Amino acid sequence: MNETPRIAIVGGGPGGLLAAHVLHGHGIAATVYDADTAVDARDPGGTLDLHADSGQIALEDAGLLAAFHALARAEGQAMTRRDHHGTLLKEFAPADDDTAAPEIDRGQLRIMLHERLAPGTVRWGHKLTDLTTENDVHRLHFANGSTVDAEVVIGADGTWSKVRRRLTEAMPEYLGVSFLDVRFDDVDTRHPEIAALVGNGQLFTTDGNGRAVIVQRNSNGVIRGYVAFRAEEDWAARKGVDLTDRSSVREFLLREFRGWSETMRPLLTDNDGDYVARAFTALPAPLTWERVPGITVLGDAAHAMAPFGGHGANLALLDGAELAHALHEEPSVEAALTRYETAMFARTGHLAADANAALRGFFADQPDGVPHEVPDREEELRAYEARAAEYRAARTPAAR
C-alpha cells in the first residue's frame, strides 16, 4: 500500500484482534477500540473449534499457531449423538494428534490474541455510538465522549454492528429458535451423570420435534452449551416465565421437554448459575453491498449466521487476516477493500445460507419424531484438512 492511512478497528473480538496482528506484522499501524473495560471484563461464552481451513490459517499468518496449539484441546473434537431418551446413536473420538479442529475456550483465545499485541493497541472502554464522514475522513464517536479520526474503519463489532449500518440497511433476523445458555461446573465431581453423557467433546441431542440440547466440554472441568427450542421471540413473556427465577425456568423446561427421559433431564435442570436467554439470529444470506470508501466489516458484522458448521469465529479470523494482507499488498486502500470484500462475499455467502438452512432443518419436525441427522464428525475433520491444503495452494506467492 502506497498510503499510510490511520486505521481504526472497532471491536476487540477474535477477528478484530487478528486483523491488528497481521497488519502490525506487515508494519502497518492500527488501533482497536472495544466497548469492554478490559479483555476479561465479561463472560465471553463457551468453547469453539478452530478449523484447519480457516481459523488456523489466520493464526498461522499472525505467527500464533503454536500458541494456539499450546492451549487447544484435541480431545474436544469428540462428538456424541444421543436421542432424547439417552440412547447412544453415534460416537466419534479423535486421535491424540488430530489437529483438524481442536477446541479452545473463547476467553482463552481472546486473551491469547490480546496479550501478544503491543501494549496500547487496544483501547478498552470505547463503545462506538456514531460514525460520521467528512472529506474522506471518518470520525468515530464513543460513549465516553471521545472521538477518533481515521481514513480506514474496520467494523469487527459483531452481529449488531454499528459500522455495518454505513454499508447496508440489512439487519439480523430471528430464525425461529430460542435457547437458554447452561453451564455445569466441576462436572466430573458434581455432575458425573452429565459428564458421562457428554464425554470429552460435544453432545448433540434432539427429539425430532423442535427441541434439542447441544453442550460441549470446556476447560477446567466445565461443560457449557444450550437448551434450544422453536418459539416466538418473546416466548418467556407469552409463557409467563420469569427468566430471573431458576425454578420458573426449570418448570417451563420440564413442561416443554416432557417427553425426554429421566436420564436426560439433568441437562435441563441441574445447571450452575442462572439461565441466560438468547435467540438465534442471522443476517440475510448471501449478503453483499456497494463499496463505501474507507469502510468495511468482517466476521459477524459482515455475515452473522447460525452456528451450524461452527464457521463464525473461524471466518472472522480468516477475514481479519485476508483484509490485512490486502491492505499490505494492494497499491491503495480502495483497491485493498475491493479485493477483500469480493473474496469475502464469495467465501462466506454460501456458508451462511447453508448454516441458516441447516438450523431451520434441524429444528423442524421430523417424520415420526426421528432425530435429524448431523454431519459425520470424521468426514468434517478430514474435509477441513483437504480444504486447508487447497486454500494454501491457491494463494498467490505474495509475502505472507
Side-chain angles (χ1 to χ4, degrees), residues 261-275:
S261 72
E262 186 174 346
T263 299
M264 306 303 289
R265 286 177 192 162
L267 291 163
L268 307 173
T269 62
D270 290 9
N271 61 297
D272 297 306
D274 292 333
Y275 296 90

Side-chain angles (χ1 to χ4, degrees), residues 361-377:
F362 185 81
F363 285 95
D365 286 341
Q366 302 301 313
D368 301 319
V370 176
H372 193 282
E373 189 56 50
V374 298
D376 182 272
R377 186 59 170 162

